[in-house]
Amino acid sequence: MEARLARMALKGDQHAFAEIVGLYQDKLYYMSYRMLYNRQEAEDVVQETFLRVYKNLDRYDDTMKFSTWIYRIATNLCIDRLRKRKPSFSLDAETGDHDGIDGYSMIPSDDRTPESELMLSDTQRIIHNAIETLPAKYKSVMVLRYLQDMSLQEIGDVLELPVTTVKTRVHRGREFLRKKLEHKL
């Protein structure tokens, strides 16, 4: 359906492009916010993504899923922004051999109630802070895997990486979060 909309938009159909925006605006914002933890930056990424999609519709390869293409654009924009930030840690400095908790599985969804919000607020803050310290290459795979529920193959397609690299980054990202969270949760 999106490929058809993209072809129509390429021919100048503004309604088709508006449909694409409607289909992806919230999804891209959610993903961008989870990577950047900054509303303004996430909104900027979504806007820039749609500008790039519009400018490059003629380059869209309709043998690829449209969602893969648009997520690739948004993810790359997020990674660029993360790389421009100063790193706040060194992965090599992390040491310790303790069994941790599945902290990434406790990341809250967006359908929260006031009661669950209150109960989870401390946990959310701790997890949020841990995710915030992930290097961009791990943060992107963790967000796509656990917050966007993408398969390893889909993540590989979005990031243009082999599935084996994605698996390694998911594993290392989980290890990093486990070490960060084991003494806090």
Side-chain angles (χ1 to χ4, degrees):
M1 176 176 114
E2 289 96 343
R4 180 182 56 79
L5 289 172
R7 284 191 300 274
M8 291 168 60
L10 182 58
K11 292 176 184 170
D13 186 333
Q14 294 298 313
H15 294 293
F17 191 76
E19 269 192 72
I20 291 171
V21 171
L23 285 169
Y24 286 98
Q25 189 169 13
D26 291 343
K27 293 173 187 173
L28 293 176
Y29 174 79
Y30 177 72
M31 185 215 53
S32 300
Y33 182 77
R34 295 297 187 180
M35 286 183 72
L36 301 168
Y37 288 105
N38 179 300
R39 290 184 191 282
Q40 186 60 53
E41 279 191 289
E43 289 169 4
D44 290 349
V45 163
V46 171
Q47 186 173 10
E48 179 66 22
T49 299
F50 287 121
L51 282 171
R52 289 191 183 190
V53 166
Y54 189 76
K55 287 179 184 174
N56 297 298
L57 272 172
D58 58 329
R59 296 161 118 190
Y60 168 61
D61 174 5
D62 61 7
T63 61
M64 175 196 304
K65 285 174 62 178
F66 187 83
S67 60
T68 299
W69 185 62
I70 198 166
Y71 272 107
R72 178 180 297 161
I73 293 168
T75 302
N76 286 337
L77 288 168
C78 288
I79 289 171
D80 288 346
R81 285 176 180 260
L82 289 170
R83 285 185 178 143
K84 288 176 184 169
R85 295 179 182 174
K86 288 188 176 183
S88 58
F89 70 96
S90 166
L91 191 58
D92 297 330
E94 292 297 316
T95 58
D97 284 323
H98 305 288
D99 290 331
I101 314 172
D102 255 358
Y104 49 87
S105 66
M106 296 168 61
I107 298 168
S109 69
D110 272 353
D111 37 76
R112 297 184 290 251
T113 64
E115 295 80 19
S116 67
E117 183 79 29
L118 187 60
M119 273 179 20
L120 290 174
S121 59
D122 283 344
T123 304
Q124 288 170 334
R125 183 182 44 74
I126 291 166
I127 293 170
H128 163 87
N129 290 341
I131 291 172
E132 185 64 23
T133 63
L134 281 171
K137 67 182 181 179
Y138 300 125
K139 191 175 196 178
S140 59
V141 296
M142 297 301 282
V143 168
L144 293 173
R145 179 77 179 113
Y146 295 106
L147 299 175
Q148 296 300 122
D149 280 331
M150 287 189 180
S151 71
L152 297 175
Q153 182 61 56
E154 288 171 322
I155 296 168
D157 292 344
V158 166
L159 299 177
E160 296 179 297
L161 295 170
V163 173
T164 53
T165 303
V166 172
K167 283 182 186 176
T168 300
R169 289 186 182 180
V170 167
H171 176 73
R172 289 182 180 159
R174 288 169 58 169
E175 281 300 301
F176 180 85
L177 286 177
R178 182 183 62 77
K179 288 176 182 177
K180 276 287 201 190
L181 296 171
E182 68 188 353
H183 301 294
K184 296 181 180 175
L185 293 176

